[in-house]
């Protein structure tokens, strides 16, 4: 019997025709660690970017051998090779926005903060990663200090969770008022917008606070009964970066990124024995994500 093809390439357009007809995609960059478990780090960032209609590029700062339960090991990339990756990406792609995640060491922070590479990059989001959801430390001593000193002054926005905000701010945070004070102080101290994610405070609602140039925004959502939150922080900052690359206002981009994470947690499907975030379902359920 003759084979009947499933795919029909007969009418296939020539490459030039496709380029003329289809709207170009914006490119976006993540500078972060690789998570072999696929739920956080570079992998979460790229899945988020793709689901939101952007072309994701990536600079790997370190390899982690891990699954959602445990980190088995961390292998940092030579800082000079981190710089080479950034150079290679920026040499060829117009980057509309970038985010940083796990930078691991002050030496890697230093090369990532080399201002020469940011001439062409309009927006930087800094996720000051310190630990994984299972509690493993993902930074060497003095990394957060280096991030504050060298990276935050270049950034548009920093996205700490409660523990990270406590370290950056230097005081403990146990209420929404503390979050508001911390966001304002961090914003002033480093001349950067600051969104503090409140998921680690108790309560039925999760409240996030954004401070941006004298204005304060409060975002509230119900608490999703998620079995697993591994990668939620990376996904929030990646979605925020994607919405900023789409030229949305920061206050709207935070709102949309929060909705994206809530939906990705709500739509999580068992991938036995884990329940990772569902990136594609999150994007599909949002009213105006893709350009
Ligand atoms: O969510 C923080 C984070 C960032 N980067 C990498 C990670 C994690 C959490 O596990 O693995 C590579």
């Amino acid at each position: 019997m003759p084979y009947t093809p499933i795919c029909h390439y007969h009418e296939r357009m020539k490459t030039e025709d496709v380029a003329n007809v289809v709207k170009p995609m914006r490119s976006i960059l993540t500078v972060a660690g690789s998570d072999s478990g696929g739920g956080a780090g570079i992998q979460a960032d790229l899945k988020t970017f793709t689901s939101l209609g952007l072309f994701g590029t990536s600079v790997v700062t370190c390899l982690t051998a891990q699954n959602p339960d445990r980190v088995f090991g961390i292998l940092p990339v030579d800082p000079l090779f981190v710089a080479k990756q950034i150079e290679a990406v920026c040499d060829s792609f117009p980057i509309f926005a970038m985010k940083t995640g796990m930078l691991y060491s002050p030496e890697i922070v230093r090369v990532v903060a080399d201002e020469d590479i940011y001439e062409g990059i309009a927006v930087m989001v800094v996720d000051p990663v310190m630990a994984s959801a299972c509690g493993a430390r993902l930074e060497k001593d003095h990394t957060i200090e280096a991030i504050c000193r060298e990276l935050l002054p270049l950034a548009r926005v920093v996205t700490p969770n409660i523990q990270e905000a406590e370290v950056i701010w230097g005081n403990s945070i146990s209420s929404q008022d503390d979050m508001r004070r911390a966001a304002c102080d961090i914003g002033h101290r480093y001349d950067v917008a600051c969104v503090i994610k409140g998921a680690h405070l108790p309560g039925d609602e999760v409240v996030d606070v954004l401070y941006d140039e004298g204005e304060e925004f409060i975002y509230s959502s119900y608490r999703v009964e998620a079995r697993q939150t591994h990668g939620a922080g990376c996904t929030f900052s990646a979605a925020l970066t994607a919405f900023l690359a789409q030229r949305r206002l920061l206050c709207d981009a935070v709102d949309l990124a929060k909705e994206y994470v809530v939906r990705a947690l709500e739509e999580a499907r068992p991938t036995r024995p884990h329940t990772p975030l569902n990136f594609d379902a999150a994007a599909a359920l949002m009213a105006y994500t893709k350009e």
Side-chain angles (χ1 to χ4, degrees):
M1 251 223 312
Y3 173 71
T4 312
I6 302 170
C7 305
H8 297 274
Y9 289 111
H10 320 297
E11 308 288 332
R12 195 162 150 192
M13 279 196 260
K14 287 198 203 118
T15 317
E16 315 86 81
D17 295 336
V18 174
N20 287 336
V21 172
V22 180
K23 204 174 164 214
M25 271 176 137
R26 291 194 176 159
S27 299
I28 182 168
L29 167 65
T30 171
V31 181
S34 162
D35 170 10
S36 54
I42 287 271
Q43 286 80 358
D45 295 342
L46 290 176
K47 290 171 191 182
T48 303
F49 295 161
T50 305
S51 78
L52 292 173
L54 291 137
F55 181 74
T57 60
S58 55
V59 166
V60 180
T61 57
C62 45
L63 306 178
T64 70
Q66 64 169 313
N67 59 42
D69 302 324
R70 191 155 80 84
V71 175
F72 291 60
I74 297 174
L75 182 66
V77 172
D78 182 329
L80 291 177
F81 200 76
V82 173
K84 202 178 273 289
Q85 293 175 76
I86 297 174
E87 194 191 331
V89 170
C90 294
D91 191 49
S92 182
F93 293 89
I95 299 296
F96 282 76
M98 69 173 275
K99 70 157 273 191
T100 65
M102 177 183 178
L103 297 179
Y104 186 63
S105 71
E107 293 76 26
I108 294 178
V109 173
R110 197 151 306 130
V111 301
V112 174
D114 179 349
E115 272 188 88
D116 287 350
I117 55 181
Y118 299 110
E119 275 169 25
I121 300 180
V123 179
M124 189 199 297
V125 175
V126 173
D127 187 10
V129 170
M130 290 172 50
S132 71
C134 67
R137 201 161 170 225
L138 298 178
E139 44 133 24
K140 282 193 359 189
D141 288 351
H142 308 302
T143 304
I144 282 286
E145 291 98 303
I147 288 174
C148 291
R149 203 178 45 245
E150 299 181 39
L151 216 46
L152 292 197
L154 305 174
R156 172 71 179 96
V157 57
V158 58
T159 64
N161 61 25
I162 296 285
Q163 286 78 19
E164 291 155 355
E166 287 180 331
V167 172
I168 296 172
W169 190 36
N171 299 294
S172 65
I173 297 174
S174 55
S175 67
Q176 246 178 69
D177 280 345
D178 290 343
M179 286 173 70
R180 295 172 53 207
R181 273 191 290 274
C184 175
D185 284 355
I186 292 169
H188 278 286
R189 199 190 297 163
Y190 299 106
D191 192 19
V192 68
C194 176
V195 51
I196 302 185
K197 301 167 291 181
H200 296 165
L201 285 187
D204 293 338
E205 297 205 317
V206 175
V207 175
D208 300 340
V209 174
L210 167 66
Y211 179 85
D212 183 21
E213 291 181 356
E215 281 192 282
E216 182 186 69
F217 303 84
I218 309 280
Y219 305 86
S220 180
S221 66
Y222 84 104
R223 185 180 293 277
V224 183
E225 286 302 327
R227 300 244 314 277
Q228 196 172 300
T229 57
H230 177 73
C234 303
T235 302
F236 174 82
S237 56
L240 177 58
T241 311
F243 291 122
L244 290 173
Q246 295 174 354
R247 300 264 193 264
R248 296 182 194 277
L249 292 175
L250 179 58
C251 58
D252 295 336
V254 170
D255 200 7
L256 290 166
K258 187 172 171 68
E259 181 186 351
Y260 183 90
V261 173
V262 167
R263 292 190 183 276
L265 289 168
E266 281 176 337
E267 297 298 321
R269 284 174 56 187
T271 309
R272 290 196 185 117
H274 301 293
T275 322
L277 275 69
N278 190 337
F279 303 91
D280 286 344
L285 284 167
M286 293 187 66
Y288 35 156
T289 50
K290 297 197 182 174
E291 297 207 286

